[in-house]
Amino acid sequence: MKKISIAFLLCLLVSAVFAQGNKPLELSDVVTGKFRPENIYGVIPIPGDGEHYTQMNREGTQIIKYSFKTGEQVEVLFDAATARECPFKRFDSYSFSPDGSMLLIATETTPIYRRSYTAIHYLYSLKRNIDGKINNVVERLSDGGPQQVPVFSPDGSMVAFVRDNNIFLVKRYFGNSESQVTEDGKRNEVLNGIPDWVYEEEFSFNCAMEFSADSKMLAFIRFDESAVPSYTFPLFAGKEPHIEAYEKYPGAYTYKYPKTGEVNSKVTVHTFDIKSKVTRKMQVPLDEDGYIPRIRFTKDPNKLAIMTLNRHQNRLDIYFGDPRSTVCKLALRDESDTYIKEAVFDNIIFYDDYFSFVSEKSGFNHLYWYTMGGNLQKQITSGNYEVKDFLGYAPQEDAFYYTSNEESPLRTAVYKIDRKGKKTKLSAQEGTNSAQFSTDMKYFMNRYSNLNTPTLITLNDNNGKVLKTLIDNAALKQTLSEYNMPTKEFFTFQTSIGTQLNGWIMKPANFSASKKYPVIQYQYSGPGSQQVTDAFSISWETYMASQGYIIVCVDGRGTGGRGAEFEKCTYLNLGVKEARDQVETALYMARQPYVDKNRIGIWGWSYGGYMTLMSMSEGTPVFKAGVAVAAVTDWHYYDTIYGERFMRTYKENAEGYKSSSAFTRANQLSGDLLLVHGMADDNVHYQNCAEYAEQLVQLGKQFDMQVYTNRNHSIFGGNTRMHLYTRITNFFNEKLGGGNK
């Protein structure tokens, strides 16, 4: 055996180290999710059982029960392969009855809008016989066609659902007999128990019906959208998917979409007495053009909570209504001199004697505790930070659980605080934390990441002690170590008027301060949004940084995490201050010795696309190129709830609408522009892109444009995403001269 010299060993070692971490990033790997962290999706704690949670397996064939304490599998609750009379091999989602004794399993799911869908649902009982065995029989919920938003009664004896805009009721103990509750539902006219498009999109829910606590009454919101103007967009045969019916002549999709200043649905609340079959209309005080964004039955079957907003969305009222007498009494009112954010609704949770409420009345979002009589018992949290989510109340501890950004606007942590004000931080690591608790608040699943740490998922007890690490993404860390990854870090700077802004910067792995690099600014910039957070992400921006670009992201005025004053300073004048802050960011970057000030670009999607246009037309010609994807171009074209929340109507705020329009400043557009839009975008209509493009044509301004057939706001399907990001990459490479590798 030959001797190997120490020098040769050292040479081999150096070569191995040098070889590691030098793989180039490929755009296809980033777009297809090769670097997406492993996660745990669809976790559902078992109702009434504080010890266990459930999850579908990856194949969608089983529902598996796990221990909150150990993270170990306890049993398979459902298996499509072994269940009796089961007509499906896999399923899409599931839910529990309130008592945890029944499963409702969804198959053949067909999306409608962002949150709505139809599906064929099946019932499966988890109750055990005398011998301890489950019947293991799958029962079809209904033979009448696909269903929407099936809801169990609290006692599990009934399921209400919507089909063709009408409510139906299935009684399990009467042979799954089906009866129809409403009969006036009609497409593009009347919806019962489900929200219309604008409510679903902007108030973030898809179900508008609830059973009373004693399972005797069913309450629902009725939407009359017959007077709402319609919007139509074309549909073509396409490829992924292919629509055979439109091969020769295109089709069209028409739905009700109220644009700013137009008529909204007329909304009313009704109750249905299941025994007597009597339907009543609740006498809830509501402005003629007001909103009802939620109804919730409280623990008291005689108290239906009805939440209302005026059209300006600066007055929130909670009424308690008697479902039989229909009389409603005001329990709580919260008002703002600007607007109330829609996140408030799902932070209202009703307990036996109290309910939770969050408000920005102090200038920061905080948690309040009210009696069921509507009297403020206590302000639970306070300070110059924001409560992000109320996670629940534990009566045995008299403690409240929540997430907040107390340590930094860039970070979130999980806390509990008792009625005396004793606070305990439950998440140990600094970064972005979110928690999902067991039903009795004794355990929680924590998801954590920071700039450089992929998702870490742990099971913890309610004192924060880690009981088990479920996912550490070690395999992804190993994969990433093989690549020449860019570095990402936070920075702050002051604008010319003294406003301090937070940002992150991503530099190429082989960055040299002696070179001058092109810059691409990525942003979203919408009200209350945050892109600058201490969270892990590998994205198209990472790829571009690996190609020699410096990537910068700054949250300007109007974004979230820093209190109401910072977030709401853009009220009635969207786009103006935000655009100035993106220009200020570019000017700041241009002063850095390692930046080529003549090669700065900007891009964004949706509100970020709008901000691209507004920033490139601000009057300071600092951007060489920009890409606006699915951009709003004028608030006349957007929906009532979102648009008017921040802008009111044109009649009330004509000057604001003019200054906030990309059309008003289109003559000042500076730099090369790529407009991108999907023709079937039901959210930000293609109209925005088409009309803005025409404006540029008539101004004699050249631009590039990429239109995607049959694609919605997300612009995906088949090879679409790869095509999109290749198009954007090539555009910036051409217009900014490529990166300096």
Side-chain angles (χ1 to χ4, degrees), residues 527-554:
S529 67
Q530 283 187 267
Q531 301 302 307
V532 183
T533 59
D534 196 1
F536 183 82
S537 174
I538 301 290
S539 61
W540 174 81
E541 288 78 20
T542 315
Y543 169 75
M544 292 302 280
S546 78
Q547 297 300 297
Y549 290 88
I550 287 178
I551 308 295
V552 172
C553 179
V554 167

Side-chain angles (χ1 to χ4, degrees), residues 395-503:
Q396 68 274 16
E397 297 178 280
D398 200 12
F400 306 85
Y401 292 81
Y402 62 95
T403 56
S404 79
N405 64 0
E406 185 170 344
E407 296 174 327
S408 164
L410 281 57
R411 301 180 177 95
T412 54
V414 184
Y415 294 90
K416 75 171 171 179
I417 186 170
D418 64 23
R419 196 82 70 93
K420 296 178 181 178
K422 181 185 176 183
K423 186 187 300 183
T424 306
K425 183 183 174 186
L426 303 180
S427 50
Q429 301 190 76
E430 191 177 79
T432 298
N433 292 273
S434 63
Q436 185 173 11
F437 273 82
S438 60
T439 53
D440 61 2
M441 308 302 292
K442 288 184 179 178
Y443 306 99
F444 69 96
M445 183 180 292
N446 191 72
R447 288 174 172 83
Y448 160 80
S449 78
N450 66 17
L451 276 190
N452 302 306
T453 306
T455 306
L456 174 70
I457 303 178
T458 58
L459 290 174
N460 304 58
D461 66 21
N462 60 7
N463 290 312
K465 180 183 177 182
V466 175
L467 304 173
K468 173 106 181 233
T469 297
L470 298 177
I471 288 179
D472 61 8
N473 272 295
L476 176 58
K477 292 176 187 176
Q478 176 58 40
T479 299
L480 291 173
S481 71
E482 300 168 4
Y483 285 81
N484 196 16
M485 297 298 293
T487 57
K488 193 175 187 180
E489 58 194 49
F490 293 117
F491 73 99
T492 60
F493 76 99
Q494 277 200 345
T495 66
S496 59
I497 61 170
T499 305
Q500 182 169 298
L501 300 179
N502 297 321

Side-chain angles (χ1 to χ4, degrees), residues 45 48 69 83 108 111 204 245 255 265 328 379 454 460 600 669 675 736:
K69 192 172 184 178
E108 301 178 48
S204 305
Y255 67 117
S265 290
C328 298
Q379 180 175 341
N460 304 58
I600 299 178
L669 178 68
L675 291 173
L736 299 182

